[in-house]
Amino acid sequence: DVKVTQSSRYLVKRTGEKVFLECVQDMDHENMFWYRQDPGLGLRLIYFSYDVKMKEKGDIPEGYSVSREKKERFSLILESASTNQTSMYLCASLPGDRSYEQYFGPGTRLTVT
Amino acid sequence: GENVEQHPSTLSVQEGDSAVIKCTYSDSASNYFPWYKQELGKGPQLIIDIRSNVGEKKDQRIAVTLNKTAKHFSLHITETQPEDSAVYFCAASIPRGTGFQKLVFGTGTRLLVSP
């Protein structure tokens, strides 16, 4: 079974803090994604990576950056957390063999106060 | 821009009834349409998908239909059970030229099946 794990299920941070969300997948997938999920807005793509050290902006990258130093790990960074970044963050991975199914982690619920 | 609309946002049915969720998409180049189910406290999980060269696909109590001309697709769940209660997301692929396709997700439907 494909397993995508996220470092925290719940996180509470203060405004202005630097926040790291970690995601690890164990299936040697080339592609990894970060989404945020908000009620009434569905899942929106923040950033994705199609190879180690390669990244591309998604639909809502403002206020976020990412890092992919190793194939299995994809980190989302909030340089200076703000209250409007309070959300559920979902990581996903996808094989590089023209497969289509994305595999999701359980999510990190981040609250910025 | 790329957009996927999903309706209804909430759906309540009695156990044993059918449930239908509808989505429309904007990009005529989309050719892959998955449906994900998200249970409480978990990440979304793929339950069924359909490609643009197929009009309908079934898997036991779940079916998906696609109308490419009208740019809409639907999820049908028959004989609903309480364990079908969850949030369902549709999505449409967005080609990127080479490599994998991005997914654009709908806004989700919360399905509640009452015993």
Side-chain angles (χ1 to χ4, degrees), chain A residues 9 31 33 35 37 40-43 45 48-50 56 58-59 90 94 98 100-107, chain B residues 2 31-32 36 38 41-46 51 87 89 93 96 98-108:
Chain A
R9 295 301 303 272
N31 310 293
F33 307 81
Y35 295 89
Q37 180 181 4
L41 297 177
L43 279 67
L45 183 63
F48 60 98
S49 168
Y50 48 91
E56 198 167 314
D59 300 315
L90 291 163
L94 173 74
R98 296 204 171 272
Y100 288 85
E101 180 180 355
Q102 293 188 20
Y103 296 85
F104 284 85
Chain B
E2 308 140 356
N31 61 7
Y32 172 68
Y36 283 81
Q38 185 178 28
K42 297 183 179 180
Q45 186 170 14
L46 181 73
R51 309 246 174 139
V87 178
F89 292 98
S93 65
R96 289 177 60 247
T98 58
F100 66 89
Q101 302 198 19
K102 278 175 50 178
L103 292 179
V104 176
F105 285 84
T107 50

Side-chain angles (χ1 to χ4, degrees), chain A residues 29 33-34 40 44 50 54-55 57 60 68 72 81-82 84 88 92 97 99:
Chain A
H29 287 177
F33 307 81
W34 276 106
R44 293 179 293 165
Y50 48 91
M54 305 303 287
K55 59 188 178 185
K57 292 180 180 178
I60 51 164
R68 192 159 180 212
E72 67 270 19
S82 63
N84 62 13
M88 170 70 83
D97 59 356
S99 300

Side-chain angles (χ1 to χ4, degrees), chain A residues 61-92:
Chain A
E62 295 78 19
Y64 303 95
S65 62
V66 290
S67 172
R68 192 159 180 212
E69 297 296 318
K70 293 186 177 181
K71 192 175 186 179
E72 67 270 19
R73 187 180 298 269
F74 191 34
S75 302
L76 180 69
I77 303 157
L78 287 66
E79 294 289 342
S80 177
S82 63
T83 54
N84 62 13
Q85 293 179 309
T86 291
S87 186
M88 170 70 83
Y89 290 88
L90 291 163
C91 175

Side-chain angles (χ1 to χ4, degrees), chain B residues 58-90:
Chain B
K58 279 187 181 180
D59 183 4
Q60 300 182 349
R61 297 186 296 108
I62 294 172
V64 57
T65 58
L66 171 65
N67 183 327
K68 283 220 76 176
T69 304
K71 293 186 193 167
H72 63 69
F73 56 113
S74 301
L75 177 71
H76 304 252
I77 306 174
T78 58
E79 300 172 27
T80 53
Q81 301 167 3
E83 51 265 40
D84 293 330
S85 297
V87 178
Y88 291 81
F89 292 98
C90 63

